[in-house]
Amino acid sequence: EAGVAQSPRYKIIEKRQSVAFWCNPISGHATLYWYQQILGQGPKLLIQFQNNGVVDDSQLPKDRFSAERLKGVDSTLKIQPAKLEDSAVYLCASSLFSADSPLHFGNGTRLTVT
Amino acid sequence: SQQGEEDPQALSIQEGENATMNCSYKTSINNLQWYRQNSGRGLVHLILIRSNEREKHSGRLRVTLDTSKKSSSLLITASRAADTASYFCAPNAGNMLTFGGGTRLMVKP
């Protein structure tokens, strides 16, 4: 099966600019996750979708981050405006049913904010 | 949600030796999952162990779970240089996975 696809692979922007990341999960996977991974740390959950509804977004900085899952398939994560501390790898993952089934991760988008 | 905490933070061994990583968590869980991450890549799922299971094997991997102590361990036997990676445990409580800081394993040839 095809894996989780993410784009772009790398992005460099200046602070206060906006940026968007795209994720295409594995076909048929109901649950989609966005994680933020700062260098040297473990992934931190930003938002979890079940189909096109939000299960949890308690750690999403809603004043600058937004995410949507279109028709329960693809998803975009946007940051506007970006801050220096947003420099990180943004990982998208999907699972068949929920967190009771294994997560499949994409290779991430590495964001550098200068 | 709750986070797993891995111990040690870093581990360096020789090829052929066994590597043991530990994970502790705080609340009741549905299951606990272990993942591997190679540098510059996404995480790869290794093993899922359910709360009513005590031990699970997959190839050279052995995972144990002690719900009374709220702890789990991952054992990699006969390690290879290709096992060099970061390893994360992720307790699943309330249908959400949260990851700790990981154990960085280096296997020297």
Side-chain angles (χ1 to χ4, degrees):
Chain A
E1 64 183 5
V4 175
Q6 289 189 247
S7 68
R9 189 80 173 89
Y10 303 94
K11 190 75 178 179
I12 301 174
I13 61 172
E14 294 181 353
K15 60 184 179 184
R16 290 187 289 274
Q17 287 187 323
S18 63
V19 64
F21 313 126
W22 173 81
C23 173
N24 180 231
I26 293 174
S27 177
H29 279 197
T31 310
L32 185 146
Y33 315 75
W34 283 102
Y35 284 88
Q36 178 194 59
Q37 187 174 26
I38 292 171
L39 188 65
Q41 299 181 17
K44 180 181 103 173
L45 179 67
L46 293 176
I47 189 167
Q48 178 175 335
F49 292 96
Q50 184 84 16
N51 296 309
N52 58 352
V54 175
V55 172
D56 184 86
D57 62 358
S58 58
Q59 296 195 86
L60 187 74
K62 297 182 188 62
D63 58 334
R64 298 184 302 105
F65 286 63
S66 64
E68 61 178 358
R69 189 173 184 195
L70 306 171
K71 299 180 181 177
V73 182
D74 291 9
S75 178
T76 55
L77 176 70
K78 296 179 182 176
I79 307 175
Q80 182 179 13
K83 293 185 176 181
L84 295 177
E85 60 260 36
D86 298 332
S87 293
V89 176
Y90 291 84
L91 294 164
C92 178
S94 68
S95 63
L96 190 56
F97 299 118
S98 65
D100 283 342
S101 47
L103 272 62
H104 298 257
F105 283 82
N107 283 326
T109 295
R110 181 178 297 277
L111 174 67
T112 302
V113 182
T114 63
Chain B
S1 64
Q2 60 133 354
Q3 191 171 350
E5 294 183 12
E6 295 89 348
D7 174 69
Q9 289 187 320
L11 182 60
S12 181
I13 59 174
Q14 293 294 135
E15 209 164 26
E17 294 181 337
N18 295 342
T20 299
M21 288 158 264
N22 301 298
C23 170
S24 60
Y25 57 92
K26 293 192 170 72
T27 65
S28 298
I29 58 172
N30 302 328
N31 62 63
L32 186 141
Q33 302 180 32
W34 284 90
Y35 289 79
R36 183 189 75 232
Q37 184 177 34
N38 291 90
S39 180
R41 312 282 290 189
L43 282 73
V44 174
H45 179 262
L46 297 176
I47 286 186
L48 182 154
I49 186 165
R50 302 196 183 282
S51 59
N52 60 353
E53 297 176 308
R54 292 297 166 257
E55 188 170 311
K56 207 160 183 180
H57 297 254
S58 176
R60 294 182 296 111
L61 307 181
R62 172 177 164 250
V63 166
T64 62
L65 179 65
D66 187 336
T67 52
S68 66
K69 294 181 179 177
K70 293 186 170 54
S71 66
S72 175
S73 67
L74 170 67
L75 169 68
I76 304 174
T77 60
S79 64
R80 305 166 182 168
D83 294 328
T84 293
S86 291
Y87 291 81
F88 297 91
C89 72
N92 175 11
N95 193 28
M96 285 194 301
L97 282 186
T98 51
F99 293 85
T103 294
R104 282 170 289 287
L105 174 66
M106 171 158 308
V107 181
K108 300 177 199 172

